[in-house]
PDB file of all heavy atoms in Angstrom:
ATOM      1  N   ALA G 221       4.827 -58.854 -33.194  1.00 83.00           N
ATOM      2  CA  ALA G 221       6.202 -58.610 -33.582  1.00 83.00           C
ATOM      3  C   ALA G 221       6.475 -58.948 -35.074  1.00 83.00           C
ATOM      4  O   ALA G 221       7.377 -58.360 -35.675  1.00 83.00           O
ATOM      5  CB  ALA G 221       7.162 -59.439 -32.703  1.00 83.00           C
ATOM      6  N   PHE G 222       5.725 -59.854 -35.637  1.00 83.00           N
ATOM      7  CA  PHE G 222       5.959 -60.268 -37.012  1.00 83.00           C
ATOM      8  C   PHE G 222       4.922 -59.696 -37.987  1.00 83.00           C
ATOM      9  O   PHE G 222       5.282 -58.938 -38.894  1.00 83.00           O
ATOM     10  CB  PHE G 222       5.944 -61.821 -37.109  1.00 83.00           C
ATOM     11  CG  PHE G 222       7.053 -62.460 -36.317  1.00 83.00           C
ATOM     12  CD1 PHE G 222       6.865 -63.687 -35.712  1.00 83.00           C
ATOM     13  CD2 PHE G 222       8.263 -61.812 -36.120  1.00 83.00           C
ATOM     14  CE1 PHE G 222       7.904 -64.289 -34.957  1.00 83.00           C
ATOM     15  CE2 PHE G 222       9.292 -62.395 -35.389  1.00 83.00           C
ATOM     16  CZ  PHE G 222       9.085 -63.643 -34.788  1.00 83.00           C
ATOM     17  N   ALA G 223       3.680 -60.039 -37.782  1.00 84.00           N
ATOM     18  CA  ALA G 223       2.650 -59.607 -38.754  1.00 84.00           C
ATOM     19  C   ALA G 223       2.486 -58.107 -38.799  1.00 84.00           C
ATOM     20  O   ALA G 223       2.556 -57.487 -39.846  1.00 84.00           O
ATOM     21  CB  ALA G 223       1.323 -60.314 -38.414  1.00 84.00           C
ATOM     22  N   PHE G 224       2.229 -57.479 -37.644  1.00 84.00           N
ATOM     23  CA  PHE G 224       1.969 -56.047 -37.646  1.00 84.00           C
ATOM     24  C   PHE G 224       3.220 -55.249 -37.976  1.00 84.00           C
ATOM     25  O   PHE G 224       3.125 -54.200 -38.639  1.00 84.00           O
ATOM     26  CB  PHE G 224       1.444 -55.629 -36.254  1.00 84.00           C
ATOM     27  CG  PHE G 224       0.052 -56.028 -35.989  1.00 84.00           C
ATOM     28  CD1 PHE G 224      -0.280 -56.992 -35.059  1.00 84.00           C
ATOM     29  CD2 PHE G 224      -0.998 -55.430 -36.706  1.00 84.00           C
ATOM     30  CE1 PHE G 224      -1.588 -57.378 -34.829  1.00 84.00           C
ATOM     31  CE2 PHE G 224      -2.303 -55.814 -36.479  1.00 84.00           C
ATOM     32  CZ  PHE G 224      -2.620 -56.787 -35.550  1.00 84.00           C
ATOM     33  N   LEU G 225       4.403 -55.704 -37.558  1.00 82.00           N
ATOM     34  CA  LEU G 225       5.634 -54.980 -37.913  1.00 82.00           C
ATOM     35  C   LEU G 225       5.842 -54.988 -39.441  1.00 82.00           C
ATOM     36  O   LEU G 225       6.217 -53.976 -40.014  1.00 82.00           O
ATOM     37  CB  LEU G 225       6.808 -55.649 -37.219  1.00 82.00           C
ATOM     38  CG  LEU G 225       8.174 -55.014 -37.486  1.00 82.00           C
ATOM     39  CD1 LEU G 225       8.182 -53.556 -37.026  1.00 82.00           C
ATOM     40  CD2 LEU G 225       9.309 -55.806 -36.790  1.00 82.00           C
ATOM     41  N   ASN G 226       5.573 -56.129 -40.075  1.00 85.00           N
ATOM     42  CA  ASN G 226       5.723 -56.184 -41.532  1.00 85.00           C
ATOM     43  C   ASN G 226       4.669 -55.318 -42.216  1.00 85.00           C
ATOM     44  O   ASN G 226       4.967 -54.708 -43.298  1.00 85.00           O
ATOM     45  CB  ASN G 226       5.579 -57.629 -42.010  1.00 85.00           C
ATOM     46  CG  ASN G 226       6.796 -58.459 -41.657  1.00 85.00           C
ATOM     47  OD1 ASN G 226       7.899 -57.938 -41.596  1.00 85.00           O
ATOM     48  ND2 ASN G 226       6.594 -59.769 -41.431  1.00 85.00           N
ATOM     49  N   MET G 227       3.462 -55.203 -41.648  1.00 86.00           N
ATOM     50  CA  MET G 227       2.455 -54.336 -42.195  1.00 86.00           C
ATOM     51  C   MET G 227       2.896 -52.878 -42.146  1.00 86.00           C
ATOM     52  O   MET G 227       2.739 -52.135 -43.097  1.00 86.00           O
ATOM     53  CB  MET G 227       1.146 -54.534 -41.471  1.00 86.00           C
ATOM     54  CG  MET G 227       0.441 -55.847 -41.732  1.00 86.00           C
ATOM     55  SD  MET G 227      -0.993 -56.138 -40.678  1.00 86.00           S
ATOM     56  CE  MET G 227      -2.046 -54.804 -41.237  1.00 86.00           C
ATOM     57  N   VAL G 228       3.444 -52.499 -41.003  1.00 84.00           N
ATOM     58  CA  VAL G 228       3.924 -51.107 -40.837  1.00 84.00           C
ATOM     59  C   VAL G 228       5.063 -50.850 -41.839  1.00 84.00           C
ATOM     60  O   VAL G 228       5.062 -49.780 -42.507  1.00 84.00           O
ATOM     61  CB  VAL G 228       4.410 -50.888 -39.378  1.00 84.00           C
ATOM     62  CG1 VAL G 228       5.149 -49.551 -39.267  1.00 84.00           C
ATOM     63  CG2 VAL G 228       3.249 -50.934 -38.428  1.00 84.00           C
ATOM     64  N   ILE G 229       5.995 -51.740 -41.959  1.00 84.00           N
ATOM     65  CA  ILE G 229       7.111 -51.553 -42.909  1.00 84.00           C
ATOM     66  C   ILE G 229       6.594 -51.467 -44.319  1.00 84.00           C
ATOM     67  O   ILE G 229       7.028 -50.611 -45.114  1.00 84.00           O
ATOM     68  CB  ILE G 229       8.142 -52.704 -42.734  1.00 84.00           C
ATOM     69  CG1 ILE G 229       8.806 -52.648 -41.408  1.00 84.00           C
ATOM     70  CG2 ILE G 229       9.160 -52.650 -43.881  1.00 84.00           C
ATOM     71  CD1 ILE G 229       9.726 -53.822 -41.108  1.00 84.00           C
ATOM     72  N   GLY G 230       5.623 -52.328 -44.678  1.00 85.00           N
ATOM     73  CA  GLY G 230       5.064 -52.292 -46.024  1.00 85.00           C
ATOM     74  C   GLY G 230       4.390 -50.961 -46.350  1.00 85.00           C
ATOM     75  O   GLY G 230       4.551 -50.437 -47.463  1.00 85.00           O
ATOM     76  N   ILE G 231       3.612 -50.427 -45.392  1.00 86.00           N
ATOM     77  CA  ILE G 231       2.953 -49.155 -45.627  1.00 86.00           C
ATOM     78  C   ILE G 231       3.954 -48.038 -45.806  1.00 86.00           C
ATOM     79  O   ILE G 231       3.844 -47.207 -46.737  1.00 86.00           O
ATOM     80  CB  ILE G 231       2.013 -48.840 -44.429  1.00 86.00           C
ATOM     81  CG1 ILE G 231       0.795 -49.853 -44.419  1.00 86.00           C
ATOM     82  CG2 ILE G 231       1.487 -47.414 -44.500  1.00 86.00           C
ATOM     83  CD1 ILE G 231      -0.047 -49.735 -43.194  1.00 86.00           C
ATOM     84  N   VAL G 232       4.961 -47.977 -44.937  1.00 84.00           N
ATOM     85  CA  VAL G 232       5.955 -46.883 -45.039  1.00 84.00           C
ATOM     86  C   VAL G 232       6.759 -47.001 -46.333  1.00 84.00           C
ATOM     87  O   VAL G 232       6.983 -45.993 -47.009  1.00 84.00           O
ATOM     88  CB  VAL G 232       6.914 -46.968 -43.805  1.00 84.00           C
ATOM     89  CG1 VAL G 232       8.024 -45.942 -43.958  1.00 84.00           C
ATOM     90  CG2 VAL G 232       6.142 -46.694 -42.512  1.00 84.00           C
ATOM     91  N   VAL G 233       7.157 -48.203 -46.711  1.00 84.00           N
ATOM     92  CA  VAL G 233       7.918 -48.371 -47.966  1.00 84.00           C
ATOM     93  C   VAL G 233       7.073 -47.979 -49.158  1.00 84.00           C
ATOM     94  O   VAL G 233       7.585 -47.321 -50.087  1.00 84.00           O
ATOM     95  CB  VAL G 233       8.402 -49.844 -48.066  1.00 84.00           C
ATOM     96  CG1 VAL G 233       8.941 -50.114 -49.478  1.00 84.00           C
ATOM     97  CG2 VAL G 233       9.441 -50.140 -47.047  1.00 84.00           C
ATOM     98  N   ASN G 234       5.808 -48.308 -49.157  1.00 85.00           N
ATOM     99  CA  ASN G 234       4.910 -47.941 -50.251  1.00 85.00           C
ATOM    100  C   ASN G 234       4.804 -46.442 -50.407  1.00 85.00           C
ATOM    101  O   ASN G 234       4.880 -45.890 -51.500  1.00 85.00           O
ATOM    102  CB  ASN G 234       3.509 -48.567 -50.032  1.00 85.00           C
ATOM    103  CG  ASN G 234       2.598 -48.355 -51.194  1.00 85.00           C
ATOM    104  OD1 ASN G 234       3.037 -48.275 -52.331  1.00 85.00           O
ATOM    105  ND2 ASN G 234       1.302 -48.257 -50.938  1.00 85.00           N
ATOM    106  N   VAL G 235       4.611 -45.739 -49.268  1.00 84.00           N
ATOM    107  CA  VAL G 235       4.559 -44.271 -49.320  1.00 84.00           C
ATOM    108  C   VAL G 235       5.894 -43.670 -49.742  1.00 84.00           C
ATOM    109  O   VAL G 235       5.888 -42.700 -50.510  1.00 84.00           O
ATOM    110  CB  VAL G 235       4.150 -43.737 -47.914  1.00 84.00           C
ATOM    111  CG1 VAL G 235       4.139 -42.222 -47.906  1.00 84.00           C
ATOM    112  CG2 VAL G 235       2.734 -44.246 -47.541  1.00 84.00           C
ATOM    113  N   MET G 236       6.985 -44.256 -49.291  1.00 82.00           N
ATOM    114  CA  MET G 236       8.277 -43.755 -49.688  1.00 82.00           C
ATOM    115  C   MET G 236       8.537 -43.884 -51.174  1.00 82.00           C
ATOM    116  O   MET G 236       9.131 -43.005 -51.809  1.00 82.00           O
ATOM    117  CB  MET G 236       9.385 -44.467 -48.899  1.00 82.00           C
ATOM    118  CG  MET G 236       9.555 -44.048 -47.459  1.00 82.00           C
ATOM    119  SD  MET G 236      10.930 -44.874 -46.669  1.00 82.00           S
ATOM    120  CE  MET G 236      12.293 -44.294 -47.649  1.00 82.00           C
ATOM    121  N   GLU G 237       8.088 -44.986 -51.764  1.00 84.00           N
ATOM    122  CA  GLU G 237       8.220 -45.167 -53.211  1.00 84.00           C
ATOM    123  C   GLU G 237       7.464 -44.077 -53.949  1.00 84.00           C
ATOM    124  O   GLU G 237       7.964 -43.556 -54.944  1.00 84.00           O
ATOM    125  CB  GLU G 237       7.742 -46.561 -53.605  1.00 84.00           C
ATOM    126  CG  GLU G 237       8.667 -47.684 -53.170  1.00 84.00           C
ATOM    127  CD  GLU G 237       8.161 -49.041 -53.556  1.00 84.00           C
ATOM    128  OE1 GLU G 237       6.996 -49.104 -54.041  1.00 84.00           O
ATOM    129  OE2 GLU G 237       8.870 -50.028 -53.389  1.00 84.00           O
ATOM    130  N   ARG G 238       6.229 -43.789 -53.493  1.00 83.00           N
ATOM    131  CA  ARG G 238       5.468 -42.715 -54.155  1.00 83.00           C
ATOM    132  C   ARG G 238       6.125 -41.383 -54.014  1.00 83.00           C
ATOM    133  O   ARG G 238       6.150 -40.572 -54.960  1.00 83.00           O
ATOM    134  CB  ARG G 238       4.023 -42.702 -53.564  1.00 83.00           C
ATOM    135  CG  ARG G 238       3.206 -43.907 -53.896  1.00 83.00           C
ATOM    136  CD  ARG G 238       1.712 -43.599 -53.799  1.00 83.00           C
ATOM    137  NE  ARG G 238       1.377 -43.170 -52.434  1.00 83.00           N
ATOM    138  CZ  ARG G 238       0.896 -43.987 -51.487  1.00 83.00           C
ATOM    139  NH1 ARG G 238       0.738 -45.258 -51.768  1.00 83.00           N
ATOM    140  NH2 ARG G 238       0.592 -43.516 -50.288  1.00 83.00           N
ATOM    141  N   GLU G 239       6.684 -41.073 -52.840  1.00 80.00           N
ATOM    142  CA  GLU G 239       7.374 -39.805 -52.619  1.00 80.00           C
ATOM    143  C   GLU G 239       8.628 -39.716 -53.483  1.00 80.00           C
ATOM    144  O   GLU G 239       8.944 -38.632 -54.001  1.00 80.00           O
ATOM    145  CB  GLU G 239       7.708 -39.666 -51.138  1.00 80.00           C
ATOM    146  CG  GLU G 239       6.511 -39.379 -50.267  1.00 80.00           C
ATOM    147  CD  GLU G 239       5.751 -38.116 -50.647  1.00 80.00           C
ATOM    148  OE1 GLU G 239       6.429 -37.083 -50.873  1.00 80.00           O
ATOM    149  OE2 GLU G 239       4.528 -38.195 -50.751  1.00 80.00           O
ATOM    150  N   ASN G 240       9.360 -40.810 -53.623  1.00 80.00           N
ATOM    151  CA  ASN G 240      10.560 -40.793 -54.463  1.00 80.00           C
ATOM    152  C   ASN G 240      10.209 -40.570 -55.911  1.00 80.00           C
ATOM    153  O   ASN G 240      10.874 -39.817 -56.643  1.00 80.00           O
ATOM    154  CB  ASN G 240      11.305 -42.119 -54.330  1.00 80.00           C
ATOM    155  CG  ASN G 240      12.134 -42.180 -53.044  1.00 80.00           C
ATOM    156  OD1 ASN G 240      12.742 -41.190 -52.656  1.00 80.00           O
ATOM    157  ND2 ASN G 240      12.165 -43.325 -52.374  1.00 80.00           N
ATOM    158  N   GLU G 241       9.119 -41.214 -56.396  1.00 82.00           N
ATOM    159  CA  GLU G 241       8.674 -40.973 -57.767  1.00 82.00           C
ATOM    160  C   GLU G 241       8.250 -39.538 -57.962  1.00 82.00           C
ATOM    161  O   GLU G 241       8.532 -38.906 -59.005  1.00 82.00           O
ATOM    162  CB  GLU G 241       7.507 -41.915 -58.076  1.00 82.00           C
ATOM    163  CG  GLU G 241       7.907 -43.380 -58.187  1.00 82.00           C
ATOM    164  CD  GLU G 241       6.732 -44.288 -58.465  1.00 82.00           C
ATOM    165  OE1 GLU G 241       5.607 -43.752 -58.542  1.00 82.00           O
ATOM    166  OE2 GLU G 241       6.922 -45.514 -58.540  1.00 82.00           O
TER     167      GLU G 241
END
Side-chain angles (χ1 to χ4, degrees):
F222 298 148
F224 286 112
L225 181 61
N226 288 329
M227 289 172 65
V228 170
I229 294 174
I231 291 172
V232 174
V233 168
N234 187 29
V235 176
M236 284 185 61
E237 288 179 353
R238 292 202 300 265
E239 288 301 314
N240 282 319
E241 291 178 0

